[in-house]
Amino acid sequence: MSQQEPAQTVLACSQCGRTFAHSDVVQIAGNWVCGDCKPAFLSRVMASGAATVSPLGWRYGGFWIRFGARFIDGFVLGVPLLILAAVLIPNLLRAQVGASNPATPGLAAFGLSFILIYFLVVVCYEVVMLKYHGATLGKMACGLRVVRSDGGSLGWGVSFGRFVMWNVVTSGIPYLNLVFMLISGIMAGTDGQKRALHDRVCDTRVVFKQRIA
Ligand SMILES: [Zn+2]
């Protein structure tokens, strides 16, 4: 590596856009910054919480923004479910009464398959969205995306594993889910990289799409 070749040592400051020799810029939070811009940039990084800025320039999504994203996803998935239930259930009950057959097994079977199909829809929604967009609609709306710890995007396995970890292991077991969700939330809230339980298991991070720049 030649150190004094001008063509290779010129770098653009990520803040003001002016070009500088390599020796006149420093890398902060993954961004090249010149001496003039350094104080302002540093204070901005500090203000956003130094611990929540990664070497790649990410800001990690904390507990509340992620809670908001889950809430939106719940709305996206829950409203169609309620409408469907509101349409189907009265019709079904009427059909049962009309058949003059106290066939509760029929109703139970319907309820079970309804839950199963809904579960499959939720699986597809979350896994496919994570695989192809790195975020569910809720996370998109909150400006978040899910990445691997190295910044790469999620494959099928990780997308599915993350779904299972959150929806089944953490929040899917009655009573135990209260404990697991609390632990996971505290982990996400206190961890320097804001990792929830499923992020630790799947080696993922939830970050803001907008990097510090
Ligand atoms: Zn600058």
Side-chain angles (χ1 to χ4, degrees):
M1 289 280 168
S2 56
Q3 289 162 346
Q4 298 306 323
E5 220 164 85
Q8 288 182 346
T9 52
V10 168
L11 283 165
C13 169
S14 63
Q15 303 307 297
C16 62
R18 290 179 296 168
T19 49
F20 293 90
H22 195 287
S23 54
D24 292 333
V25 288
V26 289
Q27 199 171 22
I28 304 167
N31 298 277
W32 292 107
V33 185
C34 75
D36 294 342
C37 300
K38 187 178 160 188
F41 183 76
L42 263 182
S43 60
R44 211 158 4 122
V45 170
M46 294 306 167
S48 71
T52 64
V53 178
S54 87
L56 290 167
W58 294 331
R59 270 187 316 135
Y60 297 106
F63 175 80
W64 286 109
I65 187 84
R66 293 172 63 168
F67 180 82
R70 290 276 179 197
F71 186 81
I72 295 170
D73 282 331
F75 206 74
V76 166
L77 291 164
V79 168
L81 178 74
L82 282 179
I83 293 170
L84 205 65
V87 170
L88 286 180
I89 289 172
N91 280 325
L92 197 84
L93 287 174
R94 222 172 296 138
Q96 292 279 327
V97 172
S100 72
N101 178 12
T104 35
L107 203 63
F110 171 80
L112 225 84
S113 40
F114 192 85
I115 290 168
L116 195 72
I117 290 166
Y118 178 68
F119 184 72
L120 287 175
V121 169
V122 174
V123 174
C124 288
Y125 169 75
E126 195 155 314
V127 175
V128 170
M129 289 298 285
L130 276 187
K131 169 70 177 73
Y132 287 109
H133 300 284
T136 57
L137 292 177
K139 283 196 168 71
M140 281 182 189
C142 294
L144 297 170
R145 66 178 269 118
V146 186
V147 292
R148 304 301 307 273
S149 56
D150 63 1
S153 48
L154 276 58
W156 285 114
V158 175
S159 301
F160 186 73
R162 204 171 181 281
F163 171 85
V164 171
M165 266 310 295
W166 168 254
N167 291 278
V168 180
V169 177
T170 307
S171 70
I173 307 166
Y175 303 110
L176 267 183
N177 57 7
L178 295 176
V179 179
F180 285 152
M181 285 165 77
L182 184 70
I183 291 172
S184 190
I186 290 171
M187 283 172 84
T190 55
D191 181 40
Q193 302 185 4
K194 307 285 181 197
R195 285 169 297 179
L197 187 57
H198 44 284
D199 293 316
R200 281 184 182 269
V201 172
C202 303
D203 194 28
T204 52
R205 307 286 185 276
V206 177
V207 298
F208 286 94
K209 252 187 249 176
Q210 203 96 48
R211 290 188 188 193
I212 294 221

